[in-house]
Amino acid sequence: MATLKVRKLKSFPAEISVPGDKSISHRAAMFAGMANGTTIIEGFLPSEDCLCSVKAMQAMGAIVEPLEELEGVGLVKLAITGTGPKLKAPSGPIDCGNSGTTIRLLSGILAGQDFTTEMFGDASLSKRPMKRVADPLRLMGAKVEGQGEKICAPLKVTGGNLNAIQYTLPMASAQVKSAILLAGMFAPGKTTVIEPVATRNHTERIMSHFGVKWLRDGHAVSVYGGQVPRATDIIVPGDISSAAFWLVAAAASPGQQITLKNVGLNATRTGILSVLLRMGAEITSYESSSDGEPRGNIVVKGGELNGTVIGGAEIPNVIDELPILAVAAALARGNTLIKDAQELRVKETDRIAAVAENLRRMGVEVVEYPDGMEIVGGAKLKGATISTYHDHRIAMAFAIAGLFAEGDTVIEGSECIGTSYPGFEHDLDLFMKGDTGAPPIRVLSRVSRQVGDRLRSAE
């Protein structure tokens, strides 16, 4: 088990560039794998999760060519030649690792194929409920089999001969919406998903990028079946969910300033900025491009934060950032209430329980509720041994907390960080060393034999 030791913050680097967006990297790999030509993906996130999606498409007939890697991060540019869009039956079960995005979105794609496929994952993924995806796909005509009442992995999907449906989501979920829309591409007629509140729209945007037409009418999103994605190159912006850790570190540090470069500024993902602004942070964003996905630089000046209430319709927009926002709440004056976030109970771990326990270890008073928690801010944090529960966002959130704590903070099980942010420890080291200059440029090179071997292992 890997451990990460964190010391109190000294100063700041002037700027940081975070790795590519996880949600977009997953979708880019999947659509490229279904497209009718070759797509070059730049800025790809080479996390364990995203590589699961690449290898899944490769196992079903897509041709993957690694092009470039970034030292200390991994594969950032690759070419995928798709099958256009009917996939080939894989030779064995598909390993989704720890990736809920891979297994849920792939379920939608597999629902439209004329073969049976089994998907499995690690112990954490195998505990996560898939019934919310299975129910609508079954209504469309696919056979989805899983374990127990919650339909947990391993999943077996038998697809083909789908029917278009209109489906109202019982609770907001971008992944469930995406699975239905992906299945709808293989169903004759118009498939419609009705959301209770708007969720992140990366699937809709990437459908447009690959030439798949869709439409939105209020809370309803629809796609017509029979469309084949058109291969087209794509550049993935930096992940705002990864930038969130440095946003909080800067916002809670009076007198400091940092620029986060080339970050995705999709309006369905920028809830973290709205919450921090409400807490008193000084943040300015500069959009530089809206080709496919809006992106730009974010400048944060540190100051005193104040407690707030986070809940309601904004929760789907900040669901991945709630662990680090809980840390921001601990560093703020006054109390912060997080509510309406019961989905946190079924993430990589029970994030409500994990956050509450680790904050208490660091000397913070927390009241836990079924759908969230109330955090009493203003306590002086003390170093502690942190349990990650194999959850990458818990690990990184409490590494940031450790920057503000007296004494060493030890993150146990830090290897899980590779799920979403390769290079996090490198960037964290810039803070702990008080490196006030720009971070060193990491070298782009031809892809390493090790990365190539990891992809070839799926062939």
Side-chain angles (χ1 to χ4, degrees):
M1 180 174 64
T3 59
L4 174 63
K5 184 179 288 188
V6 185
R7 303 183 302 276
K8 195 166 185 179
L9 181 71
K10 291 184 178 179
S11 186
F12 272 69
E15 61 185 43
I16 276 183
S17 295
V18 295
D21 188 282
K22 184 167 173 273
S23 296
I24 300 171
S25 294
H26 276 297
R27 288 159 173 80
M30 291 182 183
F31 272 82
M34 294 187 292
N36 59 356
T38 299
T39 295
I40 294 175
I41 305 172
E42 294 188 57
F44 178 79
L45 174 66
S47 70
E48 295 170 6
D49 274 13
C50 294
L51 287 173
C52 282
S53 289
V54 172
K55 290 188 283 187
M57 301 310 292
Q58 187 179 26
M60 293 186 290
I63 299 171
V64 179
E65 181 186 359
L67 297 178
E68 292 178 327
E69 69 169 350
L70 191 60
E71 184 180 330
V73 175
L75 181 69
V76 294
K77 184 176 180 180
L78 68 161
I80 299 179
T81 301
T83 60
K86 284 292 185 178
L87 303 172
K88 299 177 182 178
S91 59
I94 291 175
D95 184 358
C96 297
N98 186 245
S99 178
T101 303
T102 300
I103 197 168
R104 291 193 175 107
L105 269 61
L106 203 58
S107 293
I109 294 173
L110 291 173
Q113 310 305 314
D114 57 1
F115 51 78
T116 299
T117 309
E118 183 174 302
M119 296 178 288
F120 69 97
D122 64 12
S124 173
L125 185 65
S126 298
K127 295 177 183 177
R128 298 174 68 179
M130 299 296 157
K131 189 175 187 299
R132 286 184 293 162
V133 172
D135 285 348
L137 295 181
R138 286 168 172 172
L139 289 175
M140 297 181 77
K143 185 178 181 181
V144 183
E145 302 171 271
Q147 313 306 305
E149 293 182 2
K150 295 182 178 180
I151 319 296
C152 296
L155 291 183
K156 184 181 290 186
V157 180
T158 302
N161 298 317
L162 298 184
N163 304 304
I165 61 170
Q166 178 173 301
Y167 188 78
T168 300
L169 295 177
M171 64 181 296
S173 171
Q175 291 183 0
V176 178
K177 173 185 69 175
S178 298
I180 299 168
L181 293 175
L182 285 163
M185 290 171 54
F186 300 94
K190 177 183 175 183
T191 294
T192 300
V193 183
I194 301 172
E195 302 183 278
V197 297
T199 61
R200 59 181 63 178
N201 63 1
H202 296 307
T203 296
E204 295 95 307
R205 283 182 172 273
I206 211 159
M207 284 195 297
S208 294
H209 189 79
F210 280 85
V212 176
K213 295 181 180 179
W214 59 278
L215 57 93
R216 174 176 281 277
D217 183 8
H219 287 290
V221 185
S222 303
V223 66
Y224 286 91
Q227 300 185 72
V228 180
R230 182 187 64 245
T232 181
D233 297 346
I234 184 169
I235 300 174
V236 179
D239 195 326
I240 195 166
S241 294
S242 295
F245 301 104
W246 315 120
L247 285 170
V248 167
S253 301
Q256 299 290 348
Q257 177 175 316
I258 192 170
T259 298
L260 295 155
K261 304 193 71 178
N262 190 38
V263 178
L265 296 174
N266 184 312
T268 64
R269 292 284 300 284
T270 54
I272 176 75
L273 302 183
S274 299
V275 173
L276 288 175
L277 286 167
R278 197 163 69 234
M279 295 178 77
E282 187 175 345
I283 301 173
T284 308
S285 60
Y286 303 90
E287 188 172 319
S288 59
S289 173
S290 58
D291 178 24
E293 289 274 357
R295 70 193 72 204
N297 294 347
I298 302 173
V299 178
V300 188
K301 295 181 180 179
E304 296 289 340
L305 299 180
N306 300 301
T308 188
V309 176
I310 308 170
E314 71 181 337
I315 288 295
N317 203 332
V318 296
I319 194 69
D320 286 338
E321 291 76 54
L322 287 175
I324 187 60
L325 282 172
V327 171
L331 298 171
R333 294 176 296 189
N335 292 9
T336 293
L337 176 63
I338 298 173
K339 61 179 183 176
D340 307 316
Q342 55 269 27
E343 187 181 346
L344 287 179
R345 296 282 188 189
V346 292
K347 288 291 188 178
E348 282 82 339
T349 188
D350 180 340
R351 285 182 175 165
I352 293 173
V355 167
E357 178 181 340
N358 284 321
L359 283 177
R360 292 186 188 111
R361 290 183 184 186
M362 300 188 79
V364 179
E365 184 179 342
V366 183
V367 179
E368 186 177 334
Y369 301 110
D371 67 339
M373 68 193 85
E374 186 168 7
I375 299 162
V376 179
K380 290 186 177 180
L381 301 189
K382 58 183 181 182
T385 298
I386 299 299
S387 297
T388 65
Y389 302 96
H390 310 291
D391 189 321
H392 52 120
R393 299 201 191 279
I394 298 296
M396 290 184 281
F398 283 92
I400 298 303
L403 294 174
F404 295 87
E406 295 296 335
D408 289 342
T409 298
V410 179
I411 312 295
E412 293 186 331
S414 60
E415 67 275 3
C416 61
I417 290 172
T419 296
S420 66
Y421 194 157
F424 175 81
E425 293 186 31
H426 169 277
D427 292 341
L428 182 68
D429 198 46
L430 296 177
F431 283 76
M432 291 192 293
K433 287 181 176 178
D435 187 340
T436 57
I441 298 173
R442 300 176 195 169
V443 180
L444 276 171
S445 65
R446 295 300 298 174
V447 67
S448 71
R449 179 175 297 175
Q450 182 180 13
V451 173
D453 286 348
R454 288 176 70 184
L455 291 173
R456 281 191 289 273
S457 68
E459 295 177 347

